[in-house]
Amino acid sequence: MTLTPDTSAISAIEARVLGTLMEKARTVPDSYPLSLNALLLGCNQKSSRDPIMELMEADVATALAGLKERGLVRENSGSRVTRFEHNFQRGVGVPEQSAVLLGLLMLRGPQTAGELRLNTERWYKFADISSVEGFLEELQDRSAEKGGPLVVKLNRAPGAREQRWAHLLCGPVDEAHLVTGTVLRSVDFSTQERIDRLELEVAQLRSTVNKLCAELGIDASTTV
């Protein structure tokens, strides 16, 4: 399954959940796959995150459901507690180095090639900045047959010496509204994300009502 940024964009919360799973798989392999609680803590940690988020368990659970539908996350039920692992590299169809760069961009926001090389050291050791730039350019030039570009090189910011790169997994990047150094709480996210969450909750409630009506022998159409 190939993820295309323009038609199958993931939400900001889904990107944070996915990036966190990718990070922990490499940095704390003994604790991986992650439980829902461990994943929540990873999403909300204050270090190595931009923007900082303050999500609730329901936010993460909803994001996991969406990512599982896309084949980007899998459940691991081998223990008493359900755990989750990412399937990013295969799900998106990119090599390991590209997956590492996309994971860091999801967690830390737009970065220069030099920053990416430094920040990816615990994930993958790139030989030099030119190697990082090469994989970024491949992601930017990705053909339509493979799903289209997954990153974009941003315009040079005022006073900056280098241009930054941003991922396109959440759709096109609006450079004028890039959020940096801000705490995003559950209530701060877009109206569409709140609508999606409410629709899921309504669907779950409807399913529960239908089951209860079936057990009681009541026509569900008269109550739903």
Side-chain angles (χ1 to χ4, degrees):
M1 176 180 180
T2 301
L3 180 74
T4 52
D6 55 343
T7 59
S8 300
I10 61 178
S11 70
I13 300 178
E14 288 173 336
R16 175 55 54 86
V17 168
L18 190 54
T20 300
L21 287 171
M22 294 167 70
E23 175 192 56
K24 301 307 182 184
R26 291 180 174 273
T27 59
V28 287
D30 291 342
S31 303
Y32 187 82
L34 301 182
S35 66
L36 179 59
N37 184 60
L39 180 55
L40 176 63
L41 292 174
C43 290
N44 287 341
Q45 72 182 52
K46 301 298 187 289
S47 61
S48 304
R49 301 288 185 268
D50 191 3
I52 293 171
M53 293 184 177
E54 292 183 358
L55 304 179
M56 299 175 65
E57 188 174 293
D59 299 318
V60 176
T62 301
L64 284 168
L67 292 168
K68 284 191 291 183
E69 288 181 3
R70 290 180 170 87
L72 297 175
V73 165
R74 297 179 299 214
E75 277 191 24
N76 186 316
S77 54
S79 61
R80 289 180 298 176
V81 177
T82 300
R83 295 179 179 273
F84 303 91
E85 58 186 354
H86 77 85
N87 186 41
F88 183 83
Q89 192 173 329
R90 179 176 296 180
V92 179
V94 294
E96 179 185 14
Q97 297 92 328
S98 297
V100 166
L101 294 172
L102 288 166
L104 260 293
L105 289 172
M106 282 190 281
L107 287 181
R108 297 193 178 200
Q111 298 160 72
T112 66
E115 290 171 332
L116 283 166
R117 187 195 176 206
L118 178 64
N119 292 333
T120 55
E121 282 191 345
R122 294 182 65 195
W123 295 35
Y124 183 93
K125 290 188 180 295
F126 288 92
D128 48 38
I129 293 178
S130 296
S131 178
V132 174
E133 291 175 335
F135 282 102
L136 289 170
E137 288 166 3
E138 285 184 6
L139 288 169
Q140 181 172 243
D141 298 334
R142 198 165 183 252
S143 67
E145 290 77 13
K146 293 183 178 180
L150 291 175
V151 300
V152 61
K153 196 171 189 178
L154 304 177
N155 294 318
R156 195 186 309 275
R161 293 186 299 174
E162 299 179 56
Q163 290 174 262
R164 297 181 299 166
W165 293 81
H167 73 82
L168 294 172
L169 294 164
C170 294
V173 177
D174 184 354
E175 295 187 51
H177 295 88
L178 284 175
V179 181
T180 303
T182 300
V183 177
L184 294 184
R185 298 177 172 82
S186 176
V187 295
D188 296 331
F189 291 102
S190 70
T191 300
Q192 185 58 52
E193 289 186 49
R194 292 197 294 271
I195 291 174
D196 291 343
R197 193 178 304 124
L198 287 171
E199 287 179 345
L200 178 62
E201 291 176 357
V202 169
Q204 292 172 336
L205 287 171
R206 183 178 289 114
S207 176
T208 300
V209 170
N210 287 336
K211 289 179 181 178
L212 289 173
C213 288
E215 292 176 0
L216 297 172
I218 300 174
D219 183 0
S221 63
T222 63
T223 61
V224 178

